[in-house]
Amino acid sequence: MTSAGIDYEPVIGLEIHVQLRTTTKMFCGCELSFGDPPNVHTCPVCLGLPGALPVVNARAVHFATMIGLALGCEIAPRSLFHRKNYFYPDSPKGYQISQYDVPICSGGRLGDVRIHRVHLEEDAAKLVHVGTSGRIHGADRSVVDFNRCGTPLVEIVTEPDIRSPAQAHEWLALLRVTLRQLGVSDVNMEEGSLRCDANVSVRPVGSGQLGTKTELKNMNSFRFLERGVAAEIARQTELLRGGREVVQETLHFDPASGTLTSLRSKEEAHDYRYFPEPDLVPLLVSGEMLAAARAEVPELPAARAARYERELGLHPDRARDLAFRADRAAYFERALASAPDGLGAVELANWIPQLVERIGSDADPSESRVSPEALAALAAMVVSRQASRDAAREVLRTLVAEGGDPRAVVEREGLGALSDDGGLADLVARAIAADPDAADKVAAGNMKAIGPLVGFVMRETKGRADGGEVTRLIREQLAVR
Ligand code: ADP
Ligand code: MG
Ligand code: ZN
């Protein structure tokens, strides 16, 4: 029987590895490495030398607890470390210390995706493939950099709640800003401090059962995650439509060619022979440790965005733009605190993207020359019609270059708004006289034709005229209702 006519829906669950930004490694005193020469941060513990004993990094436990609280997990008062045995050059001990059946955090939710568990473990060393050919797989030899070995990781495992490649991308972005706000990780996918595996299956729409899944390893950018998952959904759907079956396996997505290749099948799956780590006692999270972690969980991006919408009336997209960047949110809130009466949060918030556009989207606005107070003062001048919108943009450019007080810049550059008594009515009359064609159309009610008339006035005033006022005067002089 073929299943050609059936519609399939994707089901996606993510497993995310996050390098914690501690000072030292998970089980030893070696410093974490940030682009240091290879193999300078090692010791008998992280090199797996005989007799060396691990000691749990308290800061890593603190960070894992903060993550668990931020994701609404249960924090286990007592959890266990296990040995996950495998043999590979990136693991000198022959096993990884991880958590198995009793992780530090379980349950929870972020946005519309449930969290299955969060556990602590250690990173492997980094294999570097060196080849004269330049091709990784045709490499002449591989060398090992042990600096990364033993770096603290949390693994966050979601429930299979994601239903599209775009949702996977969006949700991972939300997780990333949340972790960034917590300050527990650099969360940089390109540098590997945030790594994502995607589990993918498809099933007939409406089915309550899960299909056979495959696992896409190490999607190292948001774009590749989205593309890889989409490619895998298409592959599985085609298999099922052709009456064939999905085989449970681990896949590699090659972003260059867009193809998926099998790394290993279910039969080749590792048997990790987990057993409790005999060199570590159970991990106890006390009431004081919980309280200390709770005290350090700040307002998180999703909650902040919701507050901006609810309390300040910001548009959801604008609320997210600000709330998902801690630096912009901090700047915005400082500007808001200094906003004079009459300047609404919505009007003020509209200025942040304009500032960001000028300083670059990676820059922290607080480090620009434009103080939050100055931006608020500028926005207020527009609201009170002391400066036109165009003039204010001009002022912003000056502020970005030189800093200072917007009122002084307006004064100095003669950018104050022109009102009717500033000769605006005369200018409007000249605009009408200069373009009778456009004037006729506007007079006949075609407001789309007003552009050249407004443009004339703006040119003549170098943008100082208030657009709304110019339009009003044109309509008045042409007797348009
Ligand atoms: P495994 O034992 O193979 O590691 P788990 O049940 O631990 O599988 O789940 C690992 C990840 O795969 C989780 O993120 C989970 O949400 C996801 N997952 C489990 N089953 C499916 C499925 N049928 N389709 C898509 N994702 C799934
Ligand atoms: Mg797994
Ligand atoms: Zn070490």
Side-chain angles (χ1 to χ4, degrees):
M1 197 187 80
T2 109
S3 341
I6 300 180
D7 277 337
Y8 291 92
E9 69 166 0
V11 173
I12 302 153
L14 302 180
E15 295 170 280
I16 302 108
H17 285 93
V18 183
Q19 279 185 350
L20 298 179
R21 198 165 59 187
T22 49
T23 320
T24 55
K25 291 186 181 180
M26 186 65 217
F27 299 111
C28 63
C30 291
E31 270 176 47
L32 296 197
S33 172
F34 296 96
D36 298 318
N39 296 311
V40 296
H41 301 300
T42 63
C43 76
V45 173
C46 55
L47 288 177
L49 301 188
L53 291 173
V55 177
V56 173
N57 183 331
R59 189 97 184 127
V61 173
H62 177 68
F63 283 170
T65 309
M66 285 174 67
I67 292 171
L69 291 172
L71 300 180
C73 305
E74 288 282 332
I75 311 296
R78 179 182 184 277
S79 62
L80 297 176
F81 286 104
H82 273 65
R83 286 191 184 177
K84 179 179 181 177
N85 296 282
Y86 72 97
F87 183 75
Y88 203 63
D90 66 6
S91 172
K93 293 200 292 282
Y95 59 86
Q96 175 196 31
I97 305 179
S98 181
Q99 295 195 295
Y100 183 50
D101 50 354
V102 194
I104 182 167
C105 316
S106 42
R109 166 184 291 277
L110 177 67
D112 42 15
V113 175
R114 288 170 302 152
I115 305 294
H116 178 58
R117 60 184 276 160
V118 179
H119 69 250
L120 273 164
E121 59 187 30
E122 57 178 333
D123 209 344
K126 194 173 195 164
L127 285 180
V128 184
H129 306 283
V130 207
T132 45
S133 62
R135 287 176 310 152
I136 300 246
H137 292 295
D140 289 331
R141 62 208 159 96
S142 297
V143 292
V144 191
D145 177 3
F146 287 97
N147 284 348
R148 196 180 72 179
C149 192
T151 296
L153 295 178
V154 294
E155 178 174 344
I156 299 170
V157 182
T158 77
E159 296 292 350
D161 286 350
I162 297 169
R163 292 289 175 271
S164 71
Q167 190 193 356
H169 178 150
E170 212 170 280
W171 186 83
L172 188 62
L174 172 62
L175 177 68
R176 188 169 78 140
V177 293
T178 303
L179 294 169
R180 177 174 289 147
Q181 179 89 67
L182 286 172
V184 296
S185 171
D186 293 335
V187 284
N188 185 319
M189 287 188 94
E190 286 70 36
E191 291 170 7
S193 49
L194 179 73
R195 312 198 282 267
C196 181
D197 304 337
N199 297 271
V200 180
S201 65
V202 300
R203 65 180 177 192
V205 172
S207 160
Q209 280 172 358
L210 293 175
T212 302
K213 74 172 163 79
T214 58
E215 185 173 1
L216 272 60
K217 277 290 178 201
N218 255 322
M219 311 269 85
N220 60 5
S221 83
F222 286 96
R223 224 157 37 85
F224 296 165
L225 169 68
E226 197 169 335
R227 282 179 51 207
V229 169
E232 178 54 7
I233 292 167
R235 190 188 70 88
Q236 290 187 14
T237 305
E238 197 179 304
L239 276 178
L240 296 182
R241 289 229 163 100
R244 288 183 292 162
E245 286 185 348
V246 174
V247 179
Q248 185 176 333
E249 60 189 339
T250 303
L251 300 168
H252 168 75
F253 175 67
D254 175 20
S257 63
T259 55
L260 294 146
T261 47
S262 181
L263 292 175
R264 58 177 176 266
S265 69
K266 189 183 179 183
E267 284 70 37
E268 299 161 296
H270 297 132
D271 175 1
Y272 293 119
R273 293 167 294 122
Y274 280 98
F275 63 87
E277 166 60 64
D279 291 336
L280 288 172
V281 293
L283 175 61
L284 305 184
V285 177
S286 67
E288 293 91 273
M289 287 160 77
L290 262 185
R294 193 167 282 125
E296 282 192 42
V297 175
E299 183 183 37
L300 296 170
R304 182 174 266 173
R307 177 167 64 84
Y308 286 174
E309 274 184 59
R310 193 180 60 240
E311 290 177 11
L312 303 178
L314 300 198
H315 185 276
D317 291 343
R318 179 57 41 79
R320 252 195 315 270
D321 282 350
L322 293 177
F324 282 20
R325 279 280 301 259
D327 53 351
R328 290 181 199 167
Y331 183 93
F332 169 63
E333 293 193 15
R334 276 175 56 203
L336 194 60
S338 79
D341 287 347
L343 172 61
V346 174
E347 175 67 24
L348 176 61
N350 287 340
W351 282 91
I352 309 276
Q354 301 192 44
L355 174 61
V356 165
E357 192 184 312
R358 298 218 169 277
I359 63 177
S361 70
D362 287 337
D364 176 351
S366 298
E367 281 165 18
S368 76
R369 293 203 164 88
V370 188
S371 69
E373 295 75 21
L375 193 75
L378 182 61
M381 290 180 82
V382 174
V383 170
S384 64
R385 293 179 176 263
Q386 292 166 270
S388 73
R389 220 159 265 287
D390 286 338
R393 277 195 204 104
E394 201 60 39
V395 175
L396 182 61
R397 190 173 324 186
T398 306
L399 292 178
V400 167
E402 303 168 6
D405 182 339
R407 286 155 292 221
V409 175
V410 165
E411 184 88 2
R412 188 185 78 207
E413 316 216 330
L415 286 168
L418 287 179
S419 56
D420 198 3
D421 47 33
L424 204 51
D426 290 345
L427 264 179
V428 166
R430 276 176 51 207
I432 290 171
D435 195 340
D437 243 21
D440 283 350
K441 287 186 188 140
V442 173
N446 177 7
M447 293 313 287
K448 282 189 191 129
I450 203 169
L453 302 180
V454 176
F456 179 98
V457 178
M458 289 303 175
R459 258 190 323 278
E460 290 293 309
T461 60
K462 300 197 177 68
R464 287 158 67 205
D466 180 89
E469 180 65 5
V470 173
T471 304
R472 195 191 65 72
L473 285 167
I474 293 170
R475 295 173 73 118
E476 184 182 283
Q477 295 191 16
L478 292 174
V480 183
R481 275 176 298 122

